[in-house]
Amino acid sequence: MNLDALHRVSLRRMLIAVLLAGVTVGCCLQVWLTWHTASSAVNAAFDRSLFGAIKAIDANVSTDSGGLAVELPYVLFEFFELTASGQVFYRVATLDGLVEIGNPDLPLPAQPLQDRQPYFETVDYAGTQVRVGTYVRPLLHPVGGSSDRRLVVQVAEPFASRDQFSRQFIVGAVVRDVLLAALVAGMVAAAVAWSLRPLRQLRQEVISRAPSDLSAIDTSRVPQDVIPLVDAMNQHIHRYRELLEGQRQFVDDASHQLRTPLSTLLTQAAFAQRATDIDSMRDALTALREQLKHTVRQTNQMLALARADTVEVAMQAIDLGALARDVTKRWWPQARSQQIDLGFEMACTPPLVRGHGGLLEEALANLLDNALRYSPGGGRITVSVSVAGAWASVTVSDSGPGMPAHELPQAGTRFFRASNSQGGGSGLGLAIVHSIAKRHGAIFDLQHAPGEGGLVAQLRFAWDGEAPHASSGLACVA
């Protein structure tokens, strides 16, 4: 399963699986540690008991007669055998083995023996496994003709009793650990289910909403870790609400703006039908044609505005200088027909910006259309492309009448026209530019042209210093 598929797994199941896996591993580790610790503790306890038996035998060793004697009470020996749950073996001898009592074939430890230090080891003896304890101490004088002055006391007990006790102890500890692990697993599952309950409530709240309910989701009962996700959802809802509001406003404005021209067209068509002479009919048709041109232009601008708001913007590197130059060249014939000086200037470093070529051409064309529409004959319009710091700009300045300063903030609002505007504009040109700038993350700025009274419309784009590889073929200005 790849990582993407893993992320699609239920969050509750994944949390439970991961936590239970951790609990299982911890339980196995705890069982192993319990077994190891219990085995060590049981061996240590039984070895201490075995050493007690050795000390009891050593306390009953006598060498007063010149030989080796052990006065071992039978009651004590029977008690050892009862405790060991089987036969107990013992050996008391000199270290060289010349004098010994008990079981002579009990093996000695392989390592060198230190005085008064007990040694314990597990060996096979008499057909079974036994635990042998060995203890060495010095003698005051040799005994029984042996020259060795070291006494060895050994006691061996079968493993049956300690195996039974270890098994009972370890099984009890393992059962305890398993029950504890089961309890922890249940608590983990309950905790995960309880922790994810707010998400289920959030899901139910979203599902139960009416289709028209675009209010923000309440975050007062949302877990802290989920708040960033809910905030992102609220931002998306807010943007969607703005989009719907814009579309609804566009439809309302469009229906209002088209109602009057269509009514005028209907009236003019009826007047042409009622005309009794050719001159009256020609005048009515001329007026009808002009009204149709205005309506077609207004419709095209509304469609362009709708396209600017909704078109899928596939950003790519755009040579801003080449784009502005090409759009300006297309408007030169109309500028000459109106006797307007339309010029183009570009910085020495033509910038590349990220954008949609078609929308940027639409924006610049609307700026030029506005400038040509309101600039008087003999006027001047300049399109310039420049770079300043981290910004690349395309600017359209004209020598027209401009607009009152208090109305500049409203420029870019749909169907807004300045109070000093003349002609039959629709009030959509600057709204289209504003919408395209917003889609590109650019800044649209409108100011008075210093000293000329016209307007300076500027689009500023973020620029990372990248320039086209090939020259645009235009002379640059300082």
Side-chain angles (χ1 to χ4, degrees), residues 116-380:
R116 303 186 186 282
Q117 180 176 339
Y119 294 88
F120 301 94
E121 62 179 354
T122 303
V123 298
D124 289 325
Y125 181 75
T128 185
Q129 273 196 331
V130 296
R131 185 73 169 176
V132 180
T134 304
Y135 180 75
V136 179
R137 69 173 176 86
L139 292 170
L140 295 178
H141 51 79
V143 294
S146 173
S147 60
D148 197 336
R149 299 179 61 176
R150 301 176 74 193
L151 179 69
V152 177
V153 180
Q154 290 182 287
V155 177
E157 64 175 3
F159 254 89
S161 60
R162 78 170 62 194
D163 276 348
Q164 182 181 2
F165 183 81
S166 297
R167 188 161 45 252
Q168 292 175 349
F169 185 84
I170 293 173
V171 168
V174 168
V175 170
R176 179 197 64 203
D177 291 341
V178 170
L179 291 177
L180 181 60
L183 177 62
V184 171
M187 292 178 63
V188 165
V192 170
W194 181 80
S195 299
L196 295 180
R197 184 181 177 186
L199 295 183
R200 293 195 296 271
Q201 293 176 341
L202 177 63
R203 173 181 176 273
Q204 188 61 36
E205 178 185 346
V206 174
I207 290 177
S208 61
R209 283 189 166 205
S212 59
D213 186 0
L214 295 177
S215 60
I217 299 173
D218 183 19
T219 59
S220 60
R221 294 185 299 170
V222 176
Q224 189 69 30
D225 296 335
V226 186
I227 287 181
L229 174 61
V230 178
D231 286 341
M233 293 171 59
N234 285 336
Q235 291 178 10
H236 179 71
I237 292 174
H238 176 70
R239 292 194 299 267
Y240 185 65
R241 185 169 61 244
E242 285 186 337
L243 177 62
L244 289 182
E245 287 294 334
Q247 291 178 346
R248 186 180 298 111
Q249 185 65 38
F250 174 79
V251 172
D252 293 343
D253 292 342
S255 61
H256 173 73
Q257 293 294 326
L258 290 178
R259 187 180 296 113
T260 299
L262 291 177
S263 299
T264 303
L265 287 173
L266 183 61
T267 301
Q268 291 172 338
F271 182 77
Q273 285 181 328
R274 293 195 302 268
T276 57
D277 58 88
I278 192 64
D279 292 332
S280 298
M281 184 179 296
R282 184 179 293 110
D283 292 340
L285 290 176
T286 300
L288 181 63
R289 179 175 178 274
E290 291 300 320
Q291 185 62 41
L292 277 173
K293 287 174 59 178
H294 174 74
T295 305
V296 167
R297 182 179 181 278
Q298 190 172 21
T299 303
N300 287 335
Q301 283 195 310
M302 286 190 292
L303 293 175
L305 182 58
R307 179 171 177 267
D309 286 338
T310 60
V311 70
E312 184 69 24
V313 178
M315 297 295 184
Q316 58 184 353
I318 302 294
D319 184 344
L320 191 60
L323 182 143
R325 175 200 60 191
D326 294 341
V327 174
T328 304
K329 287 173 63 177
R330 290 200 295 268
W331 288 86
W332 277 344
Q334 182 170 339
R336 283 195 295 267
S337 67
Q338 296 180 216
Q339 298 180 352
I340 295 176
D341 179 15
L342 175 58
F344 177 76
E345 299 175 349
M346 186 173 64
C348 293
T349 303
L352 282 180
V353 297
R354 300 290 299 176
H356 185 279
L359 291 181
L360 293 181
E361 289 183 2
E362 182 74 28
L364 186 54
N366 275 276
L367 291 179
L368 284 171
D369 180 66
N370 272 5
L372 288 169
R373 183 177 297 275
Y374 298 110
S375 293
R380 178 200 57 79

Side-chain angles (χ1 to χ4, degrees), residues 388-407:
W391 297 94
S393 305
V394 56
T395 305
V396 178
S397 59
D398 63 65
S399 57
M403 70 173 61
H406 67 277
E407 294 182 357

